[in-house]
């Protein structure tokens, strides 16, 4: 059993409370008073353990970004190569944005505050590194930084555009665009990209995905059903 210090317990309590509040009420609409009341703590506890609400939002977002990959990898259980897995994860990411209004609001709130830039950048960089390793592709550091930054900004703008006009889009449209953009930067030709997209989409459609895994950003292990 892991033993936590009193300070770490308080920090984890604040994070857990904020996960539920940010999911249910939204990041913007959650006040310091809301957090203190739900956690039953004095106001000073928040700034003692964190650099304010922005810091908490960034931490929760970074974990959310990581869980997108963790959840799909656990379900797929080693059934797919890294490139196909990246395609599946991309479709999953956009499905959540379109089907879970709580997650969409959270991501839009943070995007408006320019909070998730670093965690999003790191996550996208890791996606690229996995696929580049499998495809045997090398990209110099300067070019890699430009590519990841471009994908980060594009994802943010696609989120805003599709949220402004939600009835004009389906989740697979930005997902497919993002897949093409991603794999072109790795150097794959359009025919190969189309095949990866087809295979990844078919695999995604067959997965036993349960979006309840993300409810309250709790990452409920009982929602994971692995492929046999």
């Amino acid at each position: 059993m892991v033993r936590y210090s009193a300070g770490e317990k308080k920090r984890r309590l604040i994070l857990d409370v904020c996960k539920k509040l940010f999911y249910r009420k939204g990041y913007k609409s959650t006040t310091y008073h809301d957090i203190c009341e739900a956690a039953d703590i004095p106001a000073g506890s928040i700034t003692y353990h964190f650099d304010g609400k922005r810091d908490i939002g960034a931490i929760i977002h970074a974990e959310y970004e990581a869980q997108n990959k963790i959840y799909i990898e656990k379900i797929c259980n080693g059934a797919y190569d890294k490139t196909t897995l990246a395609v599946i994860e991309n479709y999953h990411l956009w499905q959540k944005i379109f089907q879970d209004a709580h997650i969409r609001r959270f991501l839009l709130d943070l995007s408006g505050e320019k909070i998730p830039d670093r965690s999003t950048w790191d996550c996208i960089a890791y996606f690229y590194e996995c696929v580049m390793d499998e495809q045997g592709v090398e990209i110099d550091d300067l070019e890699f930084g430009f590519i990841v930054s471009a994908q980060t900004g594009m994802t943010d703008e696609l989120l805003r555009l599709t949220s402004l006009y939600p009835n004009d889009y389906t989740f697979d449209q930005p997902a497919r665009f993002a897949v093409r953009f991603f794999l072109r930067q790795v150097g794959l030709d359009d025919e190969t990209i189309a095949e990866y997209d087809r295979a990844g989409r078919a695999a995604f459609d067959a997965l036993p995905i349960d979006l309840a895994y993300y409810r309250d950003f709790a990452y409920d292990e009982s929602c994971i059903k692995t492929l046999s």
Side-chain angles (χ1 to χ4, degrees):
M1 177 184 291
V2 178
R3 295 184 180 275
Y4 297 106
S5 66
E8 180 60 22
K9 286 180 180 178
K10 183 63 65 66
R11 190 175 188 276
R12 291 172 65 87
L13 169 65
I14 295 170
L15 280 174
D16 288 343
V17 163
C18 285
K19 283 180 182 181
K20 289 182 180 179
L21 288 171
F22 291 172
Y23 182 88
R24 299 179 185 182
K25 190 173 181 177
Y27 171 84
K28 278 187 178 179
S29 297
T30 297
T31 66
Y32 282 97
H33 176 75
D34 293 331
I35 298 169
C36 292
E37 185 175 56
D40 191 22
I41 56 173
S45 291
I46 297 174
T47 52
Y48 179 81
H49 293 283
F50 301 95
D51 293 330
K53 195 172 83 167
R54 287 178 61 89
D55 184 29
I56 299 172
I59 292 169
I60 291 173
H61 180 266
E63 183 183 29
Y64 166 77
E65 290 282 355
Q67 285 293 336
N68 284 311
K69 193 168 187 61
I70 290 169
Y71 178 63
I72 292 299
E73 286 184 348
K74 285 184 176 181
I75 290 178
C76 291
N77 197 27
Y80 302 105
D81 59 81
K82 293 178 182 178
T83 307
T84 302
L85 197 62
V87 174
I88 294 170
E89 288 159 351
N90 191 73
Y91 275 102
H92 177 55
L93 181 150
W94 284 101
Q95 181 198 53
K96 292 198 312 300
I97 290 172
F98 271 69
Q99 294 186 6
D100 190 324
H102 299 282
I103 287 177
R104 182 171 63 251
R105 178 180 57 192
F106 173 73
L107 295 177
L108 283 168
D109 283 353
L110 292 189
S111 176
E113 296 288 328
K114 298 296 182 184
I115 292 175
D117 288 354
R118 185 69 239 179
S119 54
T120 302
W121 200 98
D122 289 343
C123 180
I124 290 175
Y126 181 65
F127 270 64
Y128 268 103
E129 288 164 354
C130 288
V131 175
M132 287 162 54
D133 177 65
E134 180 172 82
Q135 297 293 333
V137 173
E138 293 186 8
I139 301 174
D140 67 66
D141 291 343
L142 178 64
E143 184 75 6
F144 184 71
F146 287 158
I147 289 172
V148 174
S149 294
Q151 181 103 28
T152 301
M154 181 207 65
T155 301
D156 213 32
E157 287 305 314
L158 285 179
L159 169 65
R160 282 198 281 267
L161 175 65
T162 55
S163 297
L164 280 173
Y165 308 102
N167 296 325
D168 293 347
Y169 303 97
T170 57
F171 83 89
D172 55 337
Q173 292 171 326
R176 183 168 289 113
F177 179 84
V179 165
R180 288 199 306 269
F181 183 93
F182 178 87
L183 294 181
R184 280 172 181 162
Q185 308 316 305
V186 180
L188 301 188
D189 60 77
D190 285 350
E191 183 177 348
T192 302
I193 291 172
E195 179 54 30
Y196 270 116
D197 181 64
R198 183 203 63 76
R201 176 60 193 273
F204 168 76
D205 288 340
L207 290 180
I209 288 174
D210 185 351
L211 293 184
Y213 178 77
Y214 297 91
R215 189 176 296 136
D216 292 334
F217 300 120
Y219 313 118
D220 184 356
E221 293 284 323
S222 69
C223 297
I224 298 176
K225 300 176 179 62
T226 61
L227 293 176
S228 56

